[in-house]
Amino acid sequence: DAGVIQSPRHEVTEMGQEVTLRCKPISGHNSLFWYRQTMMRGLELLIYFNNNVPIDDSGMPEDRFSAKMPNASFSTLKIQPSEPRDSAVYFCASSFRLAEEGSYEQYFGPGTRLTVT
Amino acid sequence: AQSVTQLGSHVSVSEGALVLLRCNYSSSVPPYLFWYVQYPNQGLQLLLKYTSAATLVKGINGFEAEFKKSETSFHLTKPSAHMSDAAEYFCAVKKLNFGNEKLTFGTGTRLTIIP
């Protein structure tokens, strides 16, 4: 079975440009998470969705960041305009949430390495 | 707020030696606990998880971890290190309540294996 799929794997862009990162969760999973990993700040949760609805976006750095999940098999994280400090690896993860017990492990994609010059 | 502390950002062990990676959590009630591994240029992969069942949890690749409530610890061990174990390891905690999906990760421990 395919795992979490992210595209592109690498993105290099200039400051001020719009960047869109894409994620396809594991089929059947109903929760999706966006993380950012940097050397300075480690692994940070940006936002997560359950059944395509944003549940917690308290980790989104600022209004330049937005995330959508139009259906159960696709999500995007957009940065507009991008800045050099947004350079990081962005991970998407998915899990299956049991109504009675909550969800357990998250399955991570390979990440998108973003470089903003 | 719950959190995890990983002692030692870098650990080096000889091939064949015991691996011990430390993780302590802070939570008012025992949470769910996880260990993830990240190989270079890859995403995180679940090694094992504790969900309030057995306190000694066995995972993949010969790793195991023991939940000790009295010490608020969840240390990761492997009896004999292999070169392929070189990676970064993350401990994570999740509150034990329905509706909270958030994992809080530690800062990671980079494991180096000495031939």
Side-chain angles (χ1 to χ4, degrees):
Chain A
D1 287 340
V4 176
I5 299 172
Q6 291 187 247
S7 64
R9 291 295 310 275
H10 302 272
E11 177 79 38
V12 180
T13 190
E14 292 184 348
M15 182 174 63
Q17 296 298 306
E18 177 180 297
V19 175
T20 300
L21 310 181
R22 296 172 176 81
C23 175
K24 176 178 171 57
I26 293 172
S27 177
H29 282 189
N30 57 4
S31 290
L32 183 139
F33 307 79
W34 281 102
Y35 290 90
R36 177 172 68 176
Q37 186 178 39
T38 62
M39 289 292 292
M40 292 296 294
R41 301 174 67 91
L43 198 61
E44 306 172 277
L45 177 66
L46 301 177
I47 185 171
Y48 81 88
F49 298 81
N50 180 251
N51 292 325
N52 312 335
V53 175
I55 303 300
D56 188 332
D57 65 355
S58 59
M60 294 288 262
E62 48 197 276
D63 291 346
R64 297 186 297 107
F65 285 69
S66 62
K68 294 183 179 179
M69 192 164 186
N71 57 62
S73 59
F74 184 65
S75 176
T76 60
L77 177 67
K78 185 175 294 186
I79 308 172
Q80 166 64 19
S82 58
E83 297 182 4
R85 60 192 169 117
D86 300 332
S87 297
V89 180
Y90 291 81
F91 289 104
C92 177
S94 70
S95 70
F96 178 65
R97 175 176 170 179
L98 298 170
E100 301 82 15
E101 301 174 15
S103 64
Y104 295 98
E105 59 265 35
Q106 297 177 16
Y107 294 83
F108 282 73
T112 294
R113 183 174 296 277
L114 174 65
T115 303
V116 183
T117 61
Chain B
Q2 59 185 355
S3 66
V4 288
T5 301
Q6 292 185 242
L7 295 176
S9 57
H10 291 85
V11 171
S12 295
V13 301
S14 298
E15 190 175 14
L18 171 72
V19 175
L20 170 60
L21 304 182
R22 300 177 187 272
C23 173
N24 288 87
Y25 68 90
S26 65
S27 176
S28 56
V29 294
Y32 289 170
L33 291 158
F34 305 80
W35 275 101
Y36 281 84
V37 60
Q38 185 179 28
Y39 298 103
N41 300 314
Q42 295 186 26
L44 279 70
Q45 178 184 0
L46 181 70
L47 271 179
L48 50 79
K49 64 184 179 185
Y50 167 76
T51 56
S52 72
T55 57
L56 182 62
V57 181
K58 294 188 183 298
I60 62 171
N61 302 337
F63 284 93
E64 63 181 36
E66 185 172 8
F67 173 75
K68 292 187 177 181
K69 184 179 177 181
S70 60
E71 300 177 7
T72 61
S73 70
F74 190 58
H75 301 332
L76 182 70
T77 61
K78 181 174 181 177
S80 176
H82 191 272
M83 294 300 294
S84 60
D85 295 328
E88 187 144 20
Y89 292 79
F90 293 90
C91 182
V93 62
K94 181 175 113 59
K95 274 179 87 170
L96 194 69
N97 65 328
F98 173 70
N100 185 351
E101 309 257 356
K102 295 173 70 170
L103 285 180
T104 301
F105 285 87
T107 52
T109 297
R110 185 169 299 278
L111 177 65
T112 300
I113 309 299
I114 304 167

